[in-house]
Amino acid sequence: MKEESIEILVSNDDGFRAQGIRELTEALRPLGNVTVVAPDGPRSGASAAITSTLPIKLKLRHREEGVTIYSCTGTPADCVKLALNTIFKERKPDLLVTGVNHGNNAGICVIYSGTVGAAMEGCVSDVPSLAVSLDDHSEICDMSHATAYAARVSRMILQNGLPHDTMLSMNVPQGKPLGLRVCMVTDGRFVDEFMTSEDARGNAVYWMTGRQINKGTVEGDLELMRAGYVTLSPIKLNMTSRRYLPELERLINEGI
Amino acid sequence: MKEESIEILVSNDDGFRAQGIRELTEALRPLGNVTVVAPDGPRSGASAAITSTLPIKLKLRHREEGVTIYSCTGTPADCVKLALNTIFKERKPDLLVTGVNHGNNAGICVIYSGTVGAAMEGCVSDVPSLAVSLDDHSEICDMSHATAYAARVSRMILQNGLPHDTMLSMNVPQGKPLGLRVCMVTDGRFVDEFMTSEDARGNAVYWMTGRQINKGTVEGDLELMRAGYVTLSPIKLNMTSRRYLPELERLINEGI
C-alpha cells in the first residue's frame, strides 16, 4: 500500500512529545514518508503567531525508516514555515496534517488554535492541509478514532487535492463517533472567560477559562461534535467579507 | 464635539508605550472616553494568540480626564478579552480601535498580526472593531495621516455600525496618502522567509525576514497601499469556505 513518493509533513501545538502527534504519525505512515516538525513544548492557543524578533532553531530528534522527527523552538506556524523553507525547500510536501490536538478547535477556536494556525501556514504555501482536533484535553486519551478519521480524510486529500487557499479542520468527539459530517464552523464565542485569583503578593490575576456558546443561528461544528459526529469544515485563508464590500464602499464614497 | 457617553477601547501589539498607540489615543479623544488596555511590551506577530496556561495581570499606568491607560501581561487578544470581562463587564465599549501598528498588515499579514488579532477579539464580543496599521516599522515615524484616517473611519463606524462578526482593517502608506480605497485583502504570501545564521556555539539559527508577494490575480490592499492609498478591508470572523462546502460534502458522501 505504501507509496514511497508521498511526503507528509506533520506538526501540532502540543509539542513533538504529545500523544496526539505520536499516534497521528503512526496512522499516516502507511500513506507516505512522514516528517514531523513540531514545537519543543506546548504552544496551545498560539493561533497563527510567528516569531519575528528572535531567531528560531531546529533539532533532529529521531530518524527511522519512513519517519523523521524534528523539534523547533518557535510557534506552530514557525514550525511549518521553517520546514517548508529548509527540509522541503526543493520539493513541497504532498500533505500537511496538524494535531491530533488535545482539545477541540470548533467554532471560534479556529482563530485561537495553534493546530489550525499551523495548517493555515501550509495553506499559505499551497500545501494541502488538514488540522485534526479531539474533544479531550487529557494528556493520555483514546486517539484511535481521531487518527483513523485523520488517515481517511488524508487519503481523500491526496486523491482529490483541495481548492486554492482552502484547508480543512476536523473535530472528533470523545468515544466512538456516529459518523463524519461536513459543516460550517459555528459562530461561537466564549462566556465566563476568566477565573479571578490572587498572586502571592495579593495582586489580582486572571486565569483563562470559560465555555463556548453558539451566538448565531446556524448549527455548525460545535453542535455536531457535541452530538457525537466527527466534523469536517473547509476554512478559507482570505478573510475578506465580500458581502460587505459594496456597502462599505458606498459609505466611504458618500464622504464620511 | 466630544460626546461624553461614547466609550472607546484601544489596544495594540507593540505595547502601551509605543508611539502608534499614544498618538492614536490622542486622535480618538475628541470622539469619547478612551481606555487603553495594551501589552506591557512588544507582541508583534502574536496573531489572535491567547494565554491559557498562565495567569495574566492588569496594571493601571495612567489616568486623566478622558483617558485611562492599563498595561497587561498577556497577548493583544488577551488584552481585549480581559478588558471586556473586567473594565467593560457591565457595559461594552462602543468601539475598539487597535494600533496604530508600526508596520503594515496587508495581505496574508491579517492572519499573523496581533493588531488584527486584537480587533478580531472585539468582533467576537460584538464590539465594532477597527485595526489600523502604518507601512513604517520605525519606532519613531509620522503617524499624523494614519491617526487622521483612523479617527475619520472611527466616526463612520460610530454612526453606521458594522455587520455581525465583521471588522475593518486599515493600512496606511508612508507619506501623504492619495485617498481612501475600500478593497479585498490581497491573496499574499511571503517569500525569502528566513535569514540563516549561527549562534555562539555554531548551531544554525533562523531569523524571520522576507517580502510579501501577491500570489493571486486580484489587486488588493497590498498593491493599493504600495501605490499610496489608505486601504480599508472588511474582515469576516467566520472563515468557513461556503463555496467548497457542497463539493466537500459530495466527496465525503461518495465514501472516501
Side-chain angles (χ1 to χ4, degrees):
Chain A
M1 272 298 287
K2 180 156 178 172
E3 302 175 45
E4 290 297 342
S5 60
I6 299 294
E7 296 291 334
I8 303 171
L9 175 61
V10 167
S11 193
N12 75 347
D13 73 359
D14 293 312
F16 76 101
R17 290 189 180 90
Q19 183 199 3
I21 198 167
R22 285 189 284 110
E23 296 202 14
L24 177 63
T25 300
E26 288 307 312
L28 295 176
R29 284 180 79 158
L31 305 186
N33 291 313
V34 178
T35 302
V36 174
V37 181
D40 56 10
R43 303 282 193 286
S44 281
S47 188
I50 52 172
T51 305
S52 60
T53 55
L54 287 171
I56 57 175
K57 294 186 195 182
L58 268 183
K59 186 169 183 175
L60 178 64
R61 296 285 186 166
H62 181 79
R63 196 195 294 268
E64 64 181 69
E65 178 62 28
V67 175
T68 311
I69 301 174
Y70 297 87
S71 67
C72 171
T73 56
T75 65
D78 287 341
C79 290
V80 173
K81 215 183 248 299
L82 190 55
L84 298 180
N85 276 272
T86 56
I87 303 160
F88 293 98
K89 193 178 173 74
E90 303 305 323
R91 187 204 145 172
K92 280 192 298 193
D94 302 286
L95 176 70
L96 165 66
V97 188
T98 63
V100 175
N101 192 62
H102 293 246
N104 83 69
N105 283 311
I108 195 60
C109 291
V110 166
I111 74 162
Y112 304 131
S113 163
T115 304
V116 177
M120 278 183 201
E121 188 57 42
C123 193
V124 170
S125 288
D126 301 317
V127 175
S129 299
L130 167 69
V132 184
S133 309
L134 174 64
D135 190 28
D136 190 334
H137 274 97
S138 319
E139 279 185 38
I140 307 295
C141 51
D142 177 6
M143 289 278 172
S144 62
H145 301 294
T147 55
Y149 275 91
R152 189 178 148 199
V153 173
S154 293
R155 273 182 212 274
M156 182 207 77
I157 296 173
L158 287 170
Q159 280 164 22
N160 297 280
L162 286 174
H164 179 64
D165 280 1
T166 306
M167 54 157 283
L168 301 184
S169 175
M170 175 187 280
N171 283 286
V172 182
Q174 288 187 30
K176 185 167 162 46
L178 299 175
L180 178 57
R181 294 280 291 273
V182 172
C183 60
M184 293 281 296
V185 173
T186 296
D187 281 325
R189 59 163 298 189
F190 277 80
V191 291
D192 305 327
E193 295 189 288
F194 290 95
M195 190 193 81
T196 307
S197 178
E198 279 186 1
D199 70 9
R201 294 179 183 181
N203 302 307
V205 301
Y206 303 91
W207 294 88
M208 198 165 287
T209 170
R211 61 198 162 79
Q212 191 173 178
I213 58 164
N214 183 336
K215 63 173 188 174
T217 53
V218 175
E219 184 177 77
D221 56 356
L222 187 65
E223 292 70 37
L224 287 166
M225 178 198 71
R226 285 177 178 166
Y229 292 95
V230 176
T231 66
L232 192 62
S233 299
I235 306 284
K236 226 172 60 175
L237 206 55
N238 193 316
M239 297 178 77
T240 310
S241 168
R242 285 173 181 268
R243 182 182 293 191
Y244 186 54
L245 272 175
E247 165 74 0
L248 182 61
E249 193 150 25
R250 187 186 63 75
L251 286 167
I252 295 298
N253 288 342
E254 277 176 1
I256 51 156
Chain B
M1 274 298 287
K2 182 157 177 173
E3 303 174 43
E4 290 298 342
S5 62
I6 298 293
E7 296 291 335
I8 303 172
L9 174 61
V10 167
S11 193
N12 76 348
D13 73 359
D14 293 313
F16 76 102
R17 290 188 179 90
Q19 183 199 2
I21 198 166
R22 286 189 283 112
E23 296 202 14
L24 177 64
T25 299
E26 288 308 312
L28 295 175
R29 283 180 80 158
L31 306 186
N33 292 312
V34 179
T35 302
V36 173
V37 181
D40 56 9
R43 303 282 193 285
S44 280
S47 188
I50 53 173
T51 306
S52 60
T53 55
L54 287 170
I56 57 175
K57 295 186 196 183
L58 268 183
K59 187 170 184 174
L60 178 64
R61 296 285 186 166
H62 181 77
R63 195 195 295 270
E64 64 181 69
E65 177 62 27
V67 175
T68 311
I69 301 175
Y70 296 87
S71 68
C72 171
T73 56
T75 65
D78 287 342
C79 290
V80 173
K81 215 184 249 296
L82 190 55
L84 297 180
N85 277 272
T86 56
I87 303 161
F88 293 99
K89 193 179 172 72
E90 303 305 325
R91 186 202 146 176
K92 279 191 299 195
D94 301 287
L95 176 69
L96 165 66
V97 188
T98 64
V100 175
N101 193 61
H102 293 246
N104 83 69
N105 283 311
I108 194 62
C109 291
V110 166
I111 74 161
Y112 304 132
S113 163
T115 304
V116 177
M120 278 183 200
E121 189 57 43
C123 193
V124 169
S125 287
D126 300 317
V127 175
S129 299
L130 167 68
V132 184
S133 309
L134 174 64
D135 190 28
D136 191 334
H137 274 98
S138 318
E139 278 185 37
I140 307 295
C141 51
D142 178 6
M143 289 278 173
S144 62
H145 301 294
T147 55
Y149 275 91
R152 189 177 148 199
V153 172
S154 293
R155 274 181 212 274
M156 182 208 76
I157 297 174
L158 287 169
Q159 281 165 23
N160 298 280
L162 286 175
H164 180 64
D165 280 0
T166 305
M167 55 157 283
L168 300 184
S169 175
M170 174 188 280
N171 283 288
V172 181
Q174 289 187 29
K176 185 167 161 43
L178 299 176
L180 177 58
R181 295 279 292 271
V182 173
C183 61
M184 294 281 297
V185 174
T186 296
D187 281 324
R189 60 162 299 188
F190 277 80
V191 291
D192 305 328
E193 295 189 286
F194 290 95
M195 190 192 82
T196 307
S197 178
E198 278 188 4
D199 69 10
R201 293 180 183 181
N203 301 308
V205 301
Y206 303 90
W207 295 88
M208 198 166 286
T209 170
R211 62 198 161 78
Q212 191 173 178
I213 59 163
N214 183 336
K215 63 174 188 173
T217 53
V218 175
E219 184 177 78
D221 56 356
L222 187 65
E223 293 70 39
L224 287 165
M225 178 198 71
R226 286 178 178 166
Y229 292 94
V230 176
T231 65
L232 192 62
S233 300
I235 306 284
K236 225 173 58 174
L237 206 55
N238 194 315
M239 297 178 77
T240 311
S241 168
R242 285 174 181 267
R243 182 182 292 190
Y244 186 54
L245 271 175
E247 165 74 1
L248 182 59
E249 193 150 24
R250 187 186 63 75
L251 286 168
I252 294 297
N253 288 343
E254 278 177 0
I256 51 157

